[in-house]
Amino acid sequence: MVALPGSALLELITASTILPALIYGSTIALYLVVRRRLDRRKGAFDLGRGELPVAVCALAWTLFALFVLVAPGEALTSVVIVAGLLVLGALFFLGMLVFDRQALASEPTSGSASGSASGPPSGPGGGSTPGP
């Protein structure tokens, strides 16, 4: 990155800021859509009545931040980089959906630090549990 000229480095930094903001905004929007169906657990983190205003304010702030990042004309290259990454990610997902649907049907086990499953999934108590 040090070898990049100033404008290219700025475009790369802007692109690397847009993508997390999009992911964060998408997470907030998804939460707002499904929040009524989520289970409430005793002792878990809960904002109570402040939950909806906090989520809406976080979404508004994220949208404002995205606007500030993409509004300048110089941000066009950064937007194209992010759009290209999103298209590549969507193509990869579609490829997995078509060619390796089984990989999308299960979650990796939490017992493996490297992410590869070497045995049956373990349940909350550590023993193996049968699937659904």
Side-chain angles (χ1 to χ4, degrees), residues 1-14 16:
M1 284 182 36
V2 175
L4 292 174
S7 63
L9 183 60
L10 182 62
E11 290 168 358
L12 187 60
I13 291 170
T14 303
S16 67

PDB file of all heavy atoms in Angstrom, residues 1-14 16:
ATOM      1  N   MET A   1       0.819  -1.195   0.000  1.00  0.00           N
ATOM      2  CA  MET A   1       0.000   0.000   0.000  1.00  0.00           C
ATOM      3  C   MET A   1       0.862   1.257   0.000  1.00  0.00           C
ATOM      4  O   MET A   1       0.434   2.276  -0.517  1.00  0.00           O
ATOM      5  CB  MET A   1      -0.926   0.016   1.209  1.00  0.00           C
ATOM      6  CG  MET A   1      -2.101  -0.913   1.061  1.00  0.00           C
ATOM      7  SD  MET A   1      -3.297  -0.940   2.414  1.00  0.00           S
ATOM      8  CE  MET A   1      -3.396   0.699   2.981  1.00  0.00           C
ATOM      9  N   VAL A   2       2.036   1.192   0.557  1.00  0.00           N
ATOM     10  CA  VAL A   2       2.907   2.363   0.608  1.00  0.00           C
ATOM     11  C   VAL A   2       3.313   2.770  -0.799  1.00  0.00           C
ATOM     12  O   VAL A   2       3.485   3.957  -1.085  1.00  0.00           O
ATOM     13  CB  VAL A   2       4.143   2.071   1.485  1.00  0.00           C
ATOM     14  CG1 VAL A   2       5.107   3.223   1.451  1.00  0.00           C
ATOM     15  CG2 VAL A   2       3.717   1.759   2.906  1.00  0.00           C
ATOM     16  N   ALA A   3       3.427   1.814  -1.717  1.00  0.00           N
ATOM     17  CA  ALA A   3       3.865   2.112  -3.074  1.00  0.00           C
ATOM     18  C   ALA A   3       2.753   2.732  -3.921  1.00  0.00           C
ATOM     19  O   ALA A   3       3.020   3.250  -4.993  1.00  0.00           O
ATOM     20  CB  ALA A   3       4.366   0.836  -3.739  1.00  0.00           C
ATOM     21  N   LEU A   4       1.509   2.688  -3.465  1.00  0.00           N
ATOM     22  CA  LEU A   4       0.411   3.266  -4.238  1.00  0.00           C
ATOM     23  C   LEU A   4       0.478   4.784  -4.213  1.00  0.00           C
ATOM     24  O   LEU A   4       0.818   5.382  -3.195  1.00  0.00           O
ATOM     25  CB  LEU A   4      -0.942   2.826  -3.651  1.00  0.00           C
ATOM     26  CG  LEU A   4      -1.297   1.358  -3.799  1.00  0.00           C
ATOM     27  CD1 LEU A   4      -2.592   1.051  -3.051  1.00  0.00           C
ATOM     28  CD2 LEU A   4      -1.461   0.986  -5.263  1.00  0.00           C
ATOM     29  N   PRO A   5       0.113   5.430  -5.337  1.00  0.00           N
ATOM     30  CA  PRO A   5       0.039   6.888  -5.301  1.00  0.00           C
ATOM     31  C   PRO A   5      -1.087   7.343  -4.368  1.00  0.00           C
ATOM     32  O   PRO A   5      -1.993   6.576  -4.050  1.00  0.00           O
ATOM     33  CB  PRO A   5      -0.260   7.269  -6.755  1.00  0.00           C
ATOM     34  CG  PRO A   5      -0.587   6.027  -7.477  1.00  0.00           C
ATOM     35  CD  PRO A   5      -0.175   4.861  -6.627  1.00  0.00           C
ATOM     36  N   GLY A   6      -1.028   8.596  -3.926  1.00  0.00           N
ATOM     37  CA  GLY A   6      -1.972   9.119  -2.937  1.00  0.00           C
ATOM     38  C   GLY A   6      -3.432   8.915  -3.274  1.00  0.00           C
ATOM     39  O   GLY A   6      -4.223   8.499  -2.439  1.00  0.00           O
ATOM     40  N   SER A   7      -3.833   9.174  -4.526  1.00  0.00           N
ATOM     41  CA  SER A   7      -5.256   9.051  -4.873  1.00  0.00           C
ATOM     42  C   SER A   7      -5.707   7.594  -4.874  1.00  0.00           C
ATOM     43  O   SER A   7      -6.815   7.276  -4.452  1.00  0.00           O
ATOM     44  CB  SER A   7      -5.529   9.693  -6.227  1.00  0.00           C
ATOM     45  OG  SER A   7      -4.827   9.014  -7.253  1.00  0.00           O
ATOM     46  N   ALA A   8      -4.853   6.682  -5.339  1.00  0.00           N
ATOM     47  CA  ALA A   8      -5.202   5.262  -5.349  1.00  0.00           C
ATOM     48  C   ALA A   8      -5.326   4.740  -3.924  1.00  0.00           C
ATOM     49  O   ALA A   8      -6.215   3.940  -3.611  1.00  0.00           O
ATOM     50  CB  ALA A   8      -4.181   4.458  -6.130  1.00  0.00           C
ATOM     51  N   LEU A   9      -4.450   5.192  -3.061  1.00  0.00           N
ATOM     52  CA  LEU A   9      -4.508   4.771  -1.661  1.00  0.00           C
ATOM     53  C   LEU A   9      -5.781   5.284  -1.002  1.00  0.00           C
ATOM     54  O   LEU A   9      -6.448   4.554  -0.267  1.00  0.00           O
ATOM     55  CB  LEU A   9      -3.276   5.271  -0.909  1.00  0.00           C
ATOM     56  CG  LEU A   9      -3.151   4.861   0.549  1.00  0.00           C
ATOM     57  CD1 LEU A   9      -3.114   3.339   0.672  1.00  0.00           C
ATOM     58  CD2 LEU A   9      -1.913   5.467   1.171  1.00  0.00           C
ATOM     59  N   LEU A  10      -6.161   6.525  -1.291  1.00  0.00           N
ATOM     60  CA  LEU A  10      -7.385   7.098  -0.738  1.00  0.00           C
ATOM     61  C   LEU A  10      -8.610   6.343  -1.246  1.00  0.00           C
ATOM     62  O   LEU A  10      -9.538   6.077  -0.478  1.00  0.00           O
ATOM     63  CB  LEU A  10      -7.489   8.580  -1.091  1.00  0.00           C
ATOM     64  CG  LEU A  10      -8.708   9.308  -0.533  1.00  0.00           C
ATOM     65  CD1 LEU A  10      -8.686   9.274   0.992  1.00  0.00           C
ATOM     66  CD2 LEU A  10      -8.753  10.728  -1.041  1.00  0.00           C
ATOM     67  N   GLU A  11      -8.621   5.957  -2.511  1.00  0.00           N
ATOM     68  CA  GLU A  11      -9.739   5.191  -3.062  1.00  0.00           C
ATOM     69  C   GLU A  11      -9.840   3.822  -2.401  1.00  0.00           C
ATOM     70  O   GLU A  11     -10.934   3.345  -2.108  1.00  0.00           O
ATOM     71  CB  GLU A  11      -9.580   5.046  -4.571  1.00  0.00           C
ATOM     72  CG  GLU A  11      -9.795   6.343  -5.318  1.00  0.00           C
ATOM     73  CD  GLU A  11      -9.362   6.269  -6.764  1.00  0.00           C
ATOM     74  OE1 GLU A  11      -8.858   5.206  -7.198  1.00  0.00           O
ATOM     75  OE2 GLU A  11      -9.519   7.286  -7.457  1.00  0.00           O
ATOM     76  N   LEU A  12      -8.706   3.199  -2.150  1.00  0.00           N
ATOM     77  CA  LEU A  12      -8.699   1.896  -1.494  1.00  0.00           C
ATOM     78  C   LEU A  12      -9.201   2.010  -0.055  1.00  0.00           C
ATOM     79  O   LEU A  12      -9.987   1.172   0.406  1.00  0.00           O
ATOM     80  CB  LEU A  12      -7.290   1.306  -1.524  1.00  0.00           C
ATOM     81  CG  LEU A  12      -7.123  -0.117  -1.022  1.00  0.00           C
ATOM     82  CD1 LEU A  12      -7.968  -1.078  -1.846  1.00  0.00           C
ATOM     83  CD2 LEU A  12      -5.675  -0.529  -1.068  1.00  0.00           C
ATOM     84  N   ILE A  13      -8.787   3.053   0.640  1.00  0.00           N
ATOM     85  CA  ILE A  13      -9.253   3.261   2.016  1.00  0.00           C
ATOM     86  C   ILE A  13     -10.746   3.549   2.033  1.00  0.00           C
ATOM     87  O   ILE A  13     -11.482   3.021   2.875  1.00  0.00           O
ATOM     88  CB  ILE A  13      -8.448   4.396   2.690  1.00  0.00           C
ATOM     89  CG1 ILE A  13      -7.007   3.943   2.919  1.00  0.00           C
ATOM     90  CG2 ILE A  13      -9.094   4.836   3.990  1.00  0.00           C
ATOM     91  CD1 ILE A  13      -6.078   5.053   3.365  1.00  0.00           C
ATOM     92  N   THR A  14     -11.226   4.352   1.085  1.00  0.00           N
ATOM     93  CA  THR A  14     -12.660   4.651   1.016  1.00  0.00           C
ATOM     94  C   THR A  14     -13.453   3.383   0.724  1.00  0.00           C
ATOM     95  O   THR A  14     -14.488   3.131   1.347  1.00  0.00           O
ATOM     96  CB  THR A  14     -12.938   5.721  -0.057  1.00  0.00           C
ATOM     97  OG1 THR A  14     -12.177   6.882   0.234  1.00  0.00           O
ATOM     98  CG2 THR A  14     -14.404   6.082  -0.108  1.00  0.00           C
ATOM     99  N   SER A  16     -12.597   0.365   1.430  1.00  0.00           N
ATOM    100  CA  SER A  16     -12.552  -0.516   2.603  1.00  0.00           C
ATOM    101  C   SER A  16     -13.376   0.044   3.756  1.00  0.00           C
ATOM    102  O   SER A  16     -13.562  -0.640   4.759  1.00  0.00           O
ATOM    103  CB  SER A  16     -11.106  -0.742   3.044  1.00  0.00           C
ATOM    104  OG  SER A  16     -10.537   0.459   3.535  1.00  0.00           O
TER     105      SER A  16
END
